[in-house]
Amino acid sequence: MKLADLGEFGFIERIQRAVAKLEGSGVRLGIGDDCAVLELPAGQVLLTSTDLLIEEIHFRSDWSDWRALGGKCVAVNVSDVAAMGGSPRHLYLGLAIPATMTMDDLDAFLAGFLETAADYGAVLVGGDTCRSPGPLMISVTVEGAVPADQVVTRSGARPGDAIYVSGTLGDSALALQRLQSNRPMAEELADCHHRPKARVALGRALAEAQIPSAMIDVSDGVLADLGHILDASAVGARLEQALWPLSSEFRQALAEESALFELALSGGEDYELLFTVPSDKEHLLADLFADVPVTRIGTVTEAEQGLLLVDEAGEMRSARAKGFNHFQG
Amino acid sequence: MKLADLGEFGFIERIQRAVAKLEGSGVRLGIGDDCAVLELPAGQVLLTSTDLLIEEIHFRSDWSDWRALGGKCVAVNVSDVAAMGGSPRHLYLGLAIPATMTMDDLDAFLAGFLETAADYGAVLVGGDTCRSPGPLMISVTVEGAVPADQVVTRSGARPGDAIYVSGTLGDSALALQRLQSNRPMAEELADCHHRPKARVALGRALAEAQIPSAMIDVSDGVLADLGHILDASAVGARLEQALWPLSSEFRQALAEESALFELALSGGEDYELLFTVPSDKEHLLADLFADVPVTRIGTVTEAEQGLLLVDEAGEMRSARAKGFNHFQG
């Protein structure tokens, strides 16, 4: 089966059939009209975010398992809703498809997209599709919801707050480096890059307990993303390298090449949650989640102090963000 | 000023500064966090639609005034909300930008995008931006709202309903044909292609008065888009060519080449509203809108009759949809 034989509307119907019905999702009308028609739970506000994923920029098709890529598109986008404390509800998928992509590739991509959406409780309710004269271009938009008094933004961090991060840092960047240099690696490490998890349950639990004063997801590296919190909150921070949460794979690589630590500071695509916690709320963290570890990595300071990093020898240095910038370098 | 010098975050801040504040728009948080945070009016449902616009597929940069293109991206997308009877509220813009695009081009594009958004009462509240290794790729997502009992879908048409369309048909396709064959044309005609209008006020007025039984916007040509209503409503239709609303520019071209009528049947990008009206509600149309003409072009029939077109000589023929299909031809 070729996409050209199936045609645009045949392809859309194929997607429509593959989308699972989700009871209680508030979807009055999904794929198949000019717009999706949706209800939000009473007392909740809408959270919306959109992401582009472009072949050769965000992914390489020769490194990608199409099913994993479909899932990653969802996780990356849903992670933004998690970072505001919300629950993802609806997804929209735009696909500009090069002629080289086969129907099997597309089916695998869609299977990954839809199964991951279901994992996070979200439904695909709309999109757009066309031919691409260049690379595969994917746009994903997510709508979520959160009780109006539980929204967590980037701007609420205050001096004295503790800085926490979920999971471990640098694994995705390490896996990418291995891919780029064509070196073998454990499947577990490769999965950190190809199959990232969005911390939706953790984000909801934190927001519901009203623990974080500010939160963001780590997509551009901790230093860059913490930088966004510091800018929005007009504060500074001191980070302790000795506290950094690292996986056993990462520690092993680090033992061979100490410069790799940079990846745990500035590598992208961890999709962990980075959040600040007022000291009188830190004790609430202990009971919250047995399944995802969270680690204190530093303290919010006055803005004048900037962003300081204390290394394992106790030396302090200024650590300006060096996250990925799409138009430079 | 080059985009590479401005950088990704500089570019986003530039957009953020250019976005006008809109009182009463329900925007709790716009550009600058992981998600936009939004309120919907009580009793209204959310309407969301997403569109891709790809260079060389949907537009050619050598034919495009960047400001007009920015406006067209909004109008095309907002038109989907109009077709459900809603009011557009929030917009999201994804831009994958080739290195050849200058900052002046981008500023003009954004100016057109933002001024057109404001015309329709919508605010740009989020997006994503990155480099493109291929063509310029634009994704636009719109969120609108409509009172829950005023949603107009494609599926409510019933035999005996009258079929109406707003404005005139075929102008955009005629202008595109002139562009493709490098022939001169009146600015008014060119504007139909480059600066289409979304019929937001008309769509709202129709929905509020609960006149249409079904509605769609004409993006792929009347035959194709009416076909979607017929499929969704399980009905047929008989169209009268003699009733077709044509502009004076189109009539003039038609006088020279009668085959051009095909453009008024199957040409795309009119962005007019095509809707069906139960006979007991037709009288309500007269009072509704002095500013946009609506014209009756046919009647809904039983499904078995299919889609029939009666030409000016009274000859009847089957008129299967031949709208644009992105993966064929």
Side-chain angles (χ1 to χ4, degrees), chain A residues 249-276:
Chain A
E249 289 85 358
F250 197 94
R251 283 186 194 283
Q252 207 175 324
L254 200 59
E256 289 165 27
E257 190 185 344
S258 67
L260 284 180
F261 192 77
E262 187 60 30
L263 298 179
L265 292 171
S266 304
E269 299 209 290
D270 287 311
Y271 301 107
E272 296 296 347
L273 292 179
L274 176 68
F275 54 101
T276 58

PDB file of all heavy atoms in Angstrom, chain A residues 249-276:
ATOM      1  N   GLU A 249      24.807   4.011  34.043  1.00  0.00           N
ATOM      2  CA  GLU A 249      25.437   4.092  32.715  1.00  0.00           C
ATOM      3  C   GLU A 249      26.231   5.386  32.579  1.00  0.00           C
ATOM      4  O   GLU A 249      27.339   5.408  32.046  1.00  0.00           O
ATOM      5  CB  GLU A 249      24.387   4.040  31.587  1.00  0.00           C
ATOM      6  CG  GLU A 249      23.709   2.704  31.385  1.00  0.00           C
ATOM      7  CD  GLU A 249      22.514   2.510  32.312  1.00  0.00           C
ATOM      8  OE1 GLU A 249      22.224   3.401  33.145  1.00  0.00           O
ATOM      9  OE2 GLU A 249      21.881   1.437  32.212  1.00  0.00           O
ATOM     10  N   PHE A 250      25.621   6.478  33.051  1.00  0.00           N
ATOM     11  CA  PHE A 250      26.285   7.771  32.933  1.00  0.00           C
ATOM     12  C   PHE A 250      27.541   7.810  33.805  1.00  0.00           C
ATOM     13  O   PHE A 250      28.601   8.282  33.374  1.00  0.00           O
ATOM     14  CB  PHE A 250      25.326   8.904  33.314  1.00  0.00           C
ATOM     15  CG  PHE A 250      25.791  10.247  32.836  1.00  0.00           C
ATOM     16  CD1 PHE A 250      25.358  10.763  31.623  1.00  0.00           C
ATOM     17  CD2 PHE A 250      26.703  10.995  33.578  1.00  0.00           C
ATOM     18  CE1 PHE A 250      25.811  11.997  31.161  1.00  0.00           C
ATOM     19  CE2 PHE A 250      27.164  12.226  33.126  1.00  0.00           C
ATOM     20  CZ  PHE A 250      26.712  12.727  31.910  1.00  0.00           C
ATOM     21  N   ARG A 251      27.449   7.292  35.021  1.00  0.00           N
ATOM     22  CA  ARG A 251      28.610   7.285  35.929  1.00  0.00           C
ATOM     23  C   ARG A 251      29.767   6.486  35.330  1.00  0.00           C
ATOM     24  O   ARG A 251      30.939   6.876  35.447  1.00  0.00           O
ATOM     25  CB  ARG A 251      28.226   6.668  37.282  1.00  0.00           C
ATOM     26  CG  ARG A 251      27.442   7.609  38.147  1.00  0.00           C
ATOM     27  CD  ARG A 251      27.189   7.060  39.556  1.00  0.00           C
ATOM     28  NE  ARG A 251      26.174   7.859  40.211  1.00  0.00           N
ATOM     29  CZ  ARG A 251      26.399   9.070  40.734  1.00  0.00           C
ATOM     30  NH1 ARG A 251      27.618   9.590  40.720  1.00  0.00           N
ATOM     31  NH2 ARG A 251      25.417   9.756  41.289  1.00  0.00           N
ATOM     32  N   GLN A 252      29.416   5.386  34.698  1.00  0.00           N
ATOM     33  CA  GLN A 252      30.429   4.535  34.074  1.00  0.00           C
ATOM     34  C   GLN A 252      31.167   5.302  32.963  1.00  0.00           C
ATOM     35  O   GLN A 252      32.392   5.286  32.887  1.00  0.00           O
ATOM     36  CB  GLN A 252      29.713   3.326  33.469  1.00  0.00           C
ATOM     37  CG  GLN A 252      30.545   2.086  33.354  1.00  0.00           C
ATOM     38  CD  GLN A 252      29.678   0.923  32.856  1.00  0.00           C
ATOM     39  OE1 GLN A 252      28.492   0.821  33.216  1.00  0.00           O
ATOM     40  NE2 GLN A 252      30.253   0.071  32.031  1.00  0.00           N
ATOM     41  N   ALA A 253      30.391   6.000  32.114  1.00  0.00           N
ATOM     42  CA  ALA A 253      30.989   6.781  31.033  1.00  0.00           C
ATOM     43  C   ALA A 253      31.846   7.905  31.603  1.00  0.00           C
ATOM     44  O   ALA A 253      32.926   8.222  31.095  1.00  0.00           O
ATOM     45  CB  ALA A 253      29.892   7.353  30.133  1.00  0.00           C
ATOM     46  N   LEU A 254      31.362   8.502  32.688  1.00  0.00           N
ATOM     47  CA  LEU A 254      32.038   9.626  33.325  1.00  0.00           C
ATOM     48  C   LEU A 254      33.386   9.198  33.903  1.00  0.00           C
ATOM     49  O   LEU A 254      34.359   9.972  33.879  1.00  0.00           O
ATOM     50  CB  LEU A 254      31.130  10.163  34.445  1.00  0.00           C
ATOM     51  CG  LEU A 254      31.356  11.579  34.955  1.00  0.00           C
ATOM     52  CD1 LEU A 254      31.205  12.597  33.840  1.00  0.00           C
ATOM     53  CD2 LEU A 254      30.362  11.871  36.085  1.00  0.00           C
ATOM     54  N   ALA A 255      33.429   7.968  34.397  1.00  0.00           N
ATOM     55  CA  ALA A 255      34.673   7.453  34.976  1.00  0.00           C
ATOM     56  C   ALA A 255      35.767   7.386  33.912  1.00  0.00           C
ATOM     57  O   ALA A 255      36.952   7.563  34.200  1.00  0.00           O
ATOM     58  CB  ALA A 255      34.431   6.070  35.584  1.00  0.00           C
ATOM     59  N   GLU A 256      35.355   7.150  32.656  1.00  0.00           N
ATOM     60  CA  GLU A 256      36.321   7.080  31.558  1.00  0.00           C
ATOM     61  C   GLU A 256      36.670   8.451  30.995  1.00  0.00           C
ATOM     62  O   GLU A 256      37.737   8.652  30.442  1.00  0.00           O
ATOM     63  CB  GLU A 256      35.749   6.209  30.413  1.00  0.00           C
ATOM     64  CG  GLU A 256      35.697   4.728  30.770  1.00  0.00           C
ATOM     65  CD  GLU A 256      34.800   3.946  29.811  1.00  0.00           C
ATOM     66  OE1 GLU A 256      34.650   4.377  28.643  1.00  0.00           O
ATOM     67  OE2 GLU A 256      34.233   2.928  30.255  1.00  0.00           O
ATOM     68  N   GLU A 257      35.715   9.391  31.108  1.00  0.00           N
ATOM     69  CA  GLU A 257      35.912  10.705  30.475  1.00  0.00           C
ATOM     70  C   GLU A 257      35.177  11.756  31.302  1.00  0.00           C
ATOM     71  O   GLU A 257      33.980  11.979  31.131  1.00  0.00           O
ATOM     72  CB  GLU A 257      35.351  10.648  29.037  1.00  0.00           C
ATOM     73  CG  GLU A 257      35.714  11.853  28.209  1.00  0.00           C
ATOM     74  CD  GLU A 257      35.033  11.817  26.828  1.00  0.00           C
ATOM     75  OE1 GLU A 257      34.553  10.735  26.421  1.00  0.00           O
ATOM     76  OE2 GLU A 257      34.981  12.885  26.195  1.00  0.00           O
ATOM     77  N   SER A 258      35.910  12.432  32.183  1.00  0.00           N
ATOM     78  CA  SER A 258      35.262  13.314  33.158  1.00  0.00           C
ATOM     79  C   SER A 258      34.586  14.519  32.498  1.00  0.00           C
ATOM     80  O   SER A 258      33.658  15.103  33.054  1.00  0.00           O
ATOM     81  CB  SER A 258      36.270  13.771  34.209  1.00  0.00           C
ATOM     82  OG  SER A 258      37.239  14.601  33.585  1.00  0.00           O
ATOM     83  N   ALA A 259      35.037  14.892  31.281  1.00  0.00           N
ATOM     84  CA  ALA A 259      34.440  16.047  30.600  1.00  0.00           C
ATOM     85  C   ALA A 259      32.975  15.815  30.231  1.00  0.00           C
ATOM     86  O   ALA A 259      32.237  16.753  29.946  1.00  0.00           O
ATOM     87  CB  ALA A 259      35.234  16.388  29.335  1.00  0.00           C
ATOM     88  N   LEU A 260      32.570  14.542  30.246  1.00  0.00           N
ATOM     89  CA  LEU A 260      31.179  14.219  29.905  1.00  0.00           C
ATOM     90  C   LEU A 260      30.183  14.843  30.879  1.00  0.00           C
ATOM     91  O   LEU A 260      28.992  14.920  30.574  1.00  0.00           O
ATOM     92  CB  LEU A 260      30.977  12.697  29.882  1.00  0.00           C
ATOM     93  CG  LEU A 260      31.521  11.957  28.660  1.00  0.00           C
ATOM     94  CD1 LEU A 260      31.239  10.468  28.801  1.00  0.00           C
ATOM     95  CD2 LEU A 260      30.900  12.502  27.379  1.00  0.00           C
ATOM     96  N   PHE A 261      30.653  15.266  32.041  1.00  0.00           N
ATOM     97  CA  PHE A 261      29.715  15.861  32.998  1.00  0.00           C
ATOM     98  C   PHE A 261      28.946  17.025  32.383  1.00  0.00           C
ATOM     99  O   PHE A 261      27.803  17.306  32.753  1.00  0.00           O
ATOM    100  CB  PHE A 261      30.434  16.302  34.283  1.00  0.00           C
ATOM    101  CG  PHE A 261      29.475  16.636  35.374  1.00  0.00           C
ATOM    102  CD1 PHE A 261      28.844  15.642  36.103  1.00  0.00           C
ATOM    103  CD2 PHE A 261      29.142  17.962  35.653  1.00  0.00           C
ATOM    104  CE1 PHE A 261      27.917  15.951  37.089  1.00  0.00           C
ATOM    105  CE2 PHE A 261      28.222  18.282  36.638  1.00  0.00           C
ATOM    106  CZ  PHE A 261      27.606  17.272  37.360  1.00  0.00           C
ATOM    107  N   GLU A 262      29.606  17.689  31.444  1.00  0.00           N
ATOM    108  CA  GLU A 262      28.956  18.785  30.724  1.00  0.00           C
ATOM    109  C   GLU A 262      27.582  18.374  30.176  1.00  0.00           C
ATOM    110  O   GLU A 262      26.641  19.173  30.130  1.00  0.00           O
ATOM    111  CB  GLU A 262      29.879  19.240  29.565  1.00  0.00           C
ATOM    112  CG  GLU A 262      29.436  20.474  28.820  1.00  0.00           C
ATOM    113  CD  GLU A 262      29.314  21.709  29.700  1.00  0.00           C
ATOM    114  OE1 GLU A 262      30.050  21.817  30.704  1.00  0.00           O
ATOM    115  OE2 GLU A 262      28.454  22.561  29.386  1.00  0.00           O
ATOM    116  N   LEU A 263      27.458  17.122  29.737  1.00  0.00           N
ATOM    117  CA  LEU A 263      26.182  16.641  29.189  1.00  0.00           C
ATOM    118  C   LEU A 263      25.076  16.622  30.244  1.00  0.00           C
ATOM    119  O   LEU A 263      23.900  16.783  29.929  1.00  0.00           O
ATOM    120  CB  LEU A 263      26.345  15.228  28.606  1.00  0.00           C
ATOM    121  CG  LEU A 263      27.318  15.086  27.428  1.00  0.00           C
ATOM    122  CD1 LEU A 263      27.384  13.619  27.002  1.00  0.00           C
ATOM    123  CD2 LEU A 263      26.889  15.965  26.259  1.00  0.00           C
ATOM    124  N   ALA A 264      25.468  16.391  31.497  1.00  0.00           N
ATOM    125  CA  ALA A 264      24.474  16.363  32.574  1.00  0.00           C
ATOM    126  C   ALA A 264      24.085  17.764  33.021  1.00  0.00           C
ATOM    127  O   ALA A 264      23.098  17.960  33.727  1.00  0.00           O
ATOM    128  CB  ALA A 264      25.004  15.559  33.759  1.00  0.00           C
ATOM    129  N   LEU A 265      24.876  18.750  32.593  1.00  0.00           N
ATOM    130  CA  LEU A 265      24.567  20.151  32.902  1.00  0.00           C
ATOM    131  C   LEU A 265      23.794  20.815  31.763  1.00  0.00           C
ATOM    132  O   LEU A 265      22.849  21.548  31.984  1.00  0.00           O
ATOM    133  CB  LEU A 265      25.874  20.946  33.113  1.00  0.00           C
ATOM    134  CG  LEU A 265      26.713  20.623  34.340  1.00  0.00           C
ATOM    135  CD1 LEU A 265      28.057  21.352  34.247  1.00  0.00           C
ATOM    136  CD2 LEU A 265      25.970  21.050  35.606  1.00  0.00           C
ATOM    137  N   SER A 266      24.257  20.553  30.531  1.00  0.00           N
ATOM    138  CA  SER A 266      23.754  21.320  29.389  1.00  0.00           C
ATOM    139  C   SER A 266      23.199  20.468  28.263  1.00  0.00           C
ATOM    140  O   SER A 266      22.763  20.995  27.251  1.00  0.00           O
ATOM    141  CB  SER A 266      24.873  22.207  28.823  1.00  0.00           C
ATOM    142  OG  SER A 266      25.388  23.035  29.829  1.00  0.00           O
ATOM    143  N   GLY A 267      23.239  19.145  28.436  1.00  0.00           N
ATOM    144  CA  GLY A 267      22.666  18.284  27.401  1.00  0.00           C
ATOM    145  C   GLY A 267      21.151  18.418  27.405  1.00  0.00           C
ATOM    146  O   GLY A 267      20.549  18.690  28.442  1.00  0.00           O
ATOM    147  N   GLY A 268      20.548  18.192  26.276  1.00  0.00           N
ATOM    148  CA  GLY A 268      19.100  18.391  26.191  1.00  0.00           C
ATOM    149  C   GLY A 268      18.318  17.103  26.295  1.00  0.00           C
ATOM    150  O   GLY A 268      18.866  16.016  26.474  1.00  0.00           O
ATOM    151  N   GLU A 269      17.008  17.253  26.201  1.00  0.00           N
ATOM    152  CA  GLU A 269      16.065  16.142  26.030  1.00  0.00           C
ATOM    153  C   GLU A 269      15.987  15.156  27.188  1.00  0.00           C
ATOM    154  O   GLU A 269      15.680  13.988  26.983  1.00  0.00           O
ATOM    155  CB  GLU A 269      16.362  15.395  24.718  1.00  0.00           C
ATOM    156  CG  GLU A 269      16.208  16.294  23.501  1.00  0.00           C
ATOM    157  CD  GLU A 269      15.813  15.505  22.274  1.00  0.00           C
ATOM    158  OE1 GLU A 269      16.653  14.731  21.765  1.00  0.00           O
ATOM    159  OE2 GLU A 269      14.669  15.646  21.841  1.00  0.00           O
ATOM    160  N   ASP A 270      16.232  15.638  28.404  1.00  0.00           N
ATOM    161  CA  ASP A 270      16.012  14.752  29.546  1.00  0.00           C
ATOM    162  C   ASP A 270      14.521  14.575  29.830  1.00  0.00           C
ATOM    163  O   ASP A 270      14.096  13.506  30.265  1.00  0.00           O
ATOM    164  CB  ASP A 270      16.689  15.320  30.808  1.00  0.00           C
ATOM    165  CG  ASP A 270      18.201  15.175  30.749  1.00  0.00           C
ATOM    166  OD1 ASP A 270      18.669  14.069  30.437  1.00  0.00           O
ATOM    167  OD2 ASP A 270      18.908  16.169  31.009  1.00  0.00           O
ATOM    168  N   TYR A 271      13.762  15.665  29.602  1.00  0.00           N
ATOM    169  CA  TYR A 271      12.315  15.681  29.901  1.00  0.00           C
ATOM    170  C   TYR A 271      11.995  15.317  31.349  1.00  0.00           C
ATOM    171  O   TYR A 271      10.935  14.806  31.662  1.00  0.00           O
ATOM    172  CB  TYR A 271      11.521  14.837  28.892  1.00  0.00           C
ATOM    173  CG  TYR A 271      11.753  15.383  27.505  1.00  0.00           C
ATOM    174  CD1 TYR A 271      12.546  14.706  26.579  1.00  0.00           C
ATOM    175  CD2 TYR A 271      11.272  16.645  27.165  1.00  0.00           C
ATOM    176  CE1 TYR A 271      12.822  15.263  25.344  1.00  0.00           C
ATOM    177  CE2 TYR A 271      11.544  17.201  25.926  1.00  0.00           C
ATOM    178  CZ  TYR A 271      12.316  16.502  25.022  1.00  0.00           C
ATOM    179  OH  TYR A 271      12.602  17.064  23.811  1.00  0.00           O
ATOM    180  N   GLU A 272      12.965  15.587  32.224  1.00  0.00           N
ATOM    181  CA  GLU A 272      12.681  15.496  33.653  1.00  0.00           C
ATOM    182  C   GLU A 272      12.041  16.809  34.100  1.00  0.00           C
ATOM    183  O   GLU A 272      12.082  17.807  33.377  1.00  0.00           O
ATOM    184  CB  GLU A 272      13.983  15.243  34.435  1.00  0.00           C
ATOM    185  CG  GLU A 272      14.652  13.909  34.112  1.00  0.00           C
ATOM    186  CD  GLU A 272      13.809  12.689  34.514  1.00  0.00           C
ATOM    187  OE1 GLU A 272      12.825  12.854  35.266  1.00  0.00           O
ATOM    188  OE2 GLU A 272      14.131  11.573  34.055  1.00  0.00           O
ATOM    189  N   LEU A 273      11.432  16.804  35.273  1.00  0.00           N
ATOM    190  CA  LEU A 273      10.878  18.037  35.829  1.00  0.00           C
ATOM    191  C   LEU A 273      11.901  18.689  36.752  1.00  0.00           C
ATOM    192  O   LEU A 273      12.504  18.022  37.596  1.00  0.00           O
ATOM    193  CB  LEU A 273       9.578  17.751  36.585  1.00  0.00           C
ATOM    194  CG  LEU A 273       8.406  17.310  35.709  1.00  0.00           C
ATOM    195  CD1 LEU A 273       7.176  17.027  36.574  1.00  0.00           C
ATOM    196  CD2 LEU A 273       8.079  18.359  34.639  1.00  0.00           C
ATOM    197  N   LEU A 274      12.089  19.977  36.554  1.00  0.00           N
ATOM    198  CA  LEU A 274      12.990  20.789  37.372  1.00  0.00           C
ATOM    199  C   LEU A 274      12.090  21.766  38.121  1.00  0.00           C
ATOM    200  O   LEU A 274      11.326  22.500  37.480  1.00  0.00           O
ATOM    201  CB  LEU A 274      13.961  21.524  36.438  1.00  0.00           C
ATOM    202  CG  LEU A 274      14.943  22.507  37.049  1.00  0.00           C
ATOM    203  CD1 LEU A 274      15.975  21.781  37.910  1.00  0.00           C
ATOM    204  CD2 LEU A 274      15.640  23.303  35.950  1.00  0.00           C
ATOM    205  N   PHE A 275      12.153  21.763  39.452  1.00  0.00           N
ATOM    206  CA  PHE A 275      11.207  22.606  40.195  1.00  0.00           C
ATOM    207  C   PHE A 275      11.813  23.131  41.484  1.00  0.00           C
ATOM    208  O   PHE A 275      12.772  22.567  42.014  1.00  0.00           O
ATOM    209  CB  PHE A 275       9.898  21.849  40.468  1.00  0.00           C
ATOM    210  CG  PHE A 275      10.065  20.518  41.161  1.00  0.00           C
ATOM    211  CD1 PHE A 275       9.833  20.396  42.526  1.00  0.00           C
ATOM    212  CD2 PHE A 275      10.440  19.378  40.445  1.00  0.00           C
ATOM    213  CE1 PHE A 275       9.975  19.169  43.166  1.00  0.00           C
ATOM    214  CE2 PHE A 275      10.599  18.147  41.082  1.00  0.00           C
ATOM    215  CZ  PHE A 275      10.368  18.048  42.447  1.00  0.00           C
ATOM    216  N   THR A 276      11.249  24.223  41.940  1.00  0.00           N
ATOM    217  CA  THR A 276      11.729  24.855  43.164  1.00  0.00           C
ATOM    218  C   THR A 276      10.670  24.654  44.252  1.00  0.00           C
ATOM    219  O   THR A 276       9.473  24.640  43.983  1.00  0.00           O
ATOM    220  CB  THR A 276      11.973  26.357  42.941  1.00  0.00           C
ATOM    221  OG1 THR A 276      10.759  26.971  42.491  1.00  0.00           O
ATOM    222  CG2 THR A 276      13.048  26.575  41.882  1.00  0.00           C
TER     223      THR A 276
END
